[in-house]
């Protein structure tokens, strides 16, 4: 079976491609022109170069493939409102859907985000696939555009018979995070650059587990259904302590009041706009960090056989990859 992955060089894509190769699929990837893709070097894959905003390059890449796994997206959160984010995530997904139809692809696995469902506010109140979207309150085009793209896809399933399922990962941690992206938190704990923790929390998952579930989605899962891929719900305090214990770092001891965090984010956003720099914490991120994004992954465990690797393992694997690849000296 021939499988092609868009956005294959991110932390998820890099782990997913390896999982697909282990299963003896014929694996292709769609990369942007000029991409170095060092996390894919040496792998037995067929590389196409193009852009999800270019319909011709999508048709050329998808032709002859049985399955498309669409990971490519703009995950930018600054500036909060950016037409390019909507273009990539919405128009790009529309183009992928059309190319699926034009090339008679047998299945599409679309990688969304758990934020497209209302978050649970406590460990006794977990969000799941039935929760209505609530993240619009944060004012981020990233979250809004991913929800719109998911709705477009599910509408096409109903109206046109698009053979697609949706997977919705939570916060993924693991190796091959070359940017780095999610693993920035691990490096920050190691370097002692996390001064404190907010009152919020979120759901974490080992990226390798997400890759397994997505690969299972080629033959498992019900068409038109969404599956939250997650594992451990942790407060930021607990998460930082687990990271520190896993990598030999030091967890922050200072708890920050929500009012202070929100004020800090607002000031940062104001100064960033005035002096034209990209802030580490914006008013939107500050607001998010004060809330709990807790989710249940029971549906994915039952229908996609989602594994549940302890997060300590994922934190260690993430840190070890950074260590092996010279990231620890990059302050």
């Amino acid at each position: 079976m021939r499988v092609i992955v868009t956005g294959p060089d991110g932390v998820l894509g890099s782990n997913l491609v390896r999982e697909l190769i282990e299963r003896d699929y014929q694996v292709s990837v769609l990369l942007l022109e000029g991409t170095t893709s060092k996390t894919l070097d040496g792998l037995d894959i067929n590389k196409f170069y193009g852009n999800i905003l270019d319909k011709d390059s999508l048709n050329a890449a998808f032709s002859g493939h049985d399955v498309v796994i669409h990971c490519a997206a703009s995950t930018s959160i600054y500036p909060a409102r950016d037409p390019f984010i909507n273009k990539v995530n919405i128009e790009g997904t529309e183009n992928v859907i059309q190319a699926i139809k034009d090339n008679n692809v047998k299945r599409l696995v679309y990688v969304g985000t758990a934020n497209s469902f209302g978050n649970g506010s406590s460990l006794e109140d977990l969000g799941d696939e039935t929760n209505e979207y609530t993240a619009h309150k944060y004012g981020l085009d990233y979250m809004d555009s991913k929800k719109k793209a998911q709705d477009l896809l599910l509408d096409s399933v109903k109206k046109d018979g698009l053979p697609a399922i949706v997977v919705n990962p939570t916060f993924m941690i693991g190796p091959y995070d070359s940017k780095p992206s999610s693993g920035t938190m691990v490096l920050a704990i190691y370097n002692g650059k996390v001064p404190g923790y907010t009152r919020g929390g979120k759901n974490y998952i080992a990226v390798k587990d997400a890759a397994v579930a997505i690969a299972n989605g080629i033959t498992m899962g019900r068409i038109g259904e969404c599956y939250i891929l997650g594992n451990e719900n942790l407060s930021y305090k607990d998460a930082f302590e687990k990271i520190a214990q896993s990598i030999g770092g030091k967890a922050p001891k200072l708890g920050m009041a929500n009012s202070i965090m929100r004020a800090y984010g607002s000031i940062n956003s104001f100064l960033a706009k005035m002096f034209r720099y990209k802030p580490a914490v914006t008013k939107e991120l500050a607001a998010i960090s004060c809330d709990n994004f807790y989710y249940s992954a029971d549906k994915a465990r039952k229908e996609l056989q989602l594994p549940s690797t302890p997060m300590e393992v994922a934190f260690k694997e993430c840190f070890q990859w950074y260590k092996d690849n010279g990231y620890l000296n990059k302050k």
Side-chain angles (χ1 to χ4, degrees):
M1 185 180 291
R2 297 190 66 194
V3 181
I4 185 166
V5 180
T6 71
D9 50 337
V11 63
L12 174 59
S14 298
N15 283 274
L16 174 60
V17 167
R18 286 168 170 77
E19 178 66 26
L20 295 171
I21 291 172
E22 286 185 10
R23 298 186 184 203
D24 293 324
Y25 287 119
Q26 291 178 264
V27 183
S28 300
V29 298
L30 177 64
L31 293 159
L32 285 170
E33 288 287 351
T35 300
T36 55
S37 63
K38 65 179 182 179
T39 59
L40 302 177
D41 289 348
L43 299 182
D44 183 16
I45 55 177
N46 185 28
K47 294 182 180 180
F48 290 87
Y49 290 90
N51 193 316
I52 61 173
L53 297 177
D54 178 0
K55 296 178 181 179
D56 290 338
S57 68
L58 280 180
N59 281 319
F62 289 2
S63 177
H65 287 88
D66 302 294
V67 177
V68 170
I69 303 178
H70 181 34
C71 298
S74 172
T75 59
S76 175
I77 52 176
Y78 187 82
R81 296 301 189 190
D82 185 347
F84 183 70
I85 297 172
N86 288 292
K87 190 174 182 67
V88 171
N89 293 345
I90 299 173
E91 182 180 324
T93 299
E94 288 178 321
N95 291 342
V96 167
I97 291 171
Q98 189 57 52
I100 295 289
K101 297 174 182 176
D102 292 344
N103 290 278
N104 298 313
V105 173
K106 296 176 183 177
R107 179 168 283 211
L108 165 63
V109 181
Y110 171 75
V111 179
T113 170
N115 296 323
S116 291
F117 301 103
N119 51 297
S121 59
S122 71
L123 296 177
E124 292 73 38
D125 175 33
L126 302 181
D128 64 23
E129 296 84 355
T130 65
N131 286 32
E132 293 293 326
Y133 179 62
T134 57
H136 52 75
K137 65 183 179 182
Y138 298 111
L140 287 172
D141 272 342
Y142 165 63
M143 290 183 172
D144 292 347
S145 65
K146 289 295 286 182
K147 176 60 167 63
K148 289 176 183 176
Q150 177 174 298
D151 288 346
L152 283 169
L153 184 142
L154 295 176
D155 188 58
S156 184
V157 171
K158 294 177 181 178
K159 292 182 178 179
D160 309 319
L162 183 75
I165 68 169
V166 179
V167 291
N168 303 84
T170 59
F171 195 77
M172 297 176 285
I173 290 285
Y176 306 108
D177 187 12
S178 60
K179 285 186 178 181
S181 56
S182 57
T184 301
M185 181 171 61
V186 174
L187 289 175
I189 293 290
Y190 172 74
N191 291 319
K193 291 187 176 181
V194 181
Y197 55 87
T198 59
R199 305 300 182 184
K202 61 187 173 186
N203 187 286
Y204 298 79
I205 182 173
V207 68
K208 288 184 177 180
D209 288 353
V212 168
I214 292 169
N216 287 347
I218 292 173
T219 57
M220 299 178 188
R222 291 172 287 149
I223 297 299
E225 291 292 320
C226 298
Y227 298 91
I228 292 174
L229 308 183
N231 188 12
E232 295 185 30
N233 293 296
L234 299 169
S235 68
Y236 287 112
K237 181 179 185 293
D238 290 342
F240 293 162
E241 288 177 351
K242 279 199 175 193
I243 293 171
Q245 292 168 3
S246 300
I247 69 174
K250 188 175 181 180
K253 300 298 183 183
L254 178 65
M256 301 174 66
N258 288 353
S259 58
I260 293 175
M261 189 62 190
R262 290 176 186 273
Y264 175 69
S266 295
I267 292 170
N268 252 4
S269 290
F270 175 76
L271 293 176
K273 187 175 182 179
M274 179 176 290
F275 296 107
R276 298 173 182 264
Y277 69 90
K278 184 177 180 179
V281 178
T282 64
K283 65 177 182 180
E284 293 84 12
L285 281 178
I288 290 170
S289 72
C290 294
D291 292 340
N292 291 326
F293 285 80
Y294 293 155
Y295 290 98
S296 167
D298 286 349
K299 184 178 178 181
R301 291 192 184 100
K302 293 175 182 176
E303 298 189 27
L304 295 181
Q305 296 182 8
L306 171 69
S308 299
T309 300
M311 286 312 301
E312 290 90 343
V313 174
F315 293 141
K316 287 178 182 178
E317 289 183 343
C318 177
F319 180 74
Q320 189 62 47
W321 189 85
Y322 285 141
K323 184 177 181 180
D324 293 342
N325 288 273
Y327 283 76
L328 301 192
N329 297 323
K330 300 176 183 178
K331 299 290 186 179

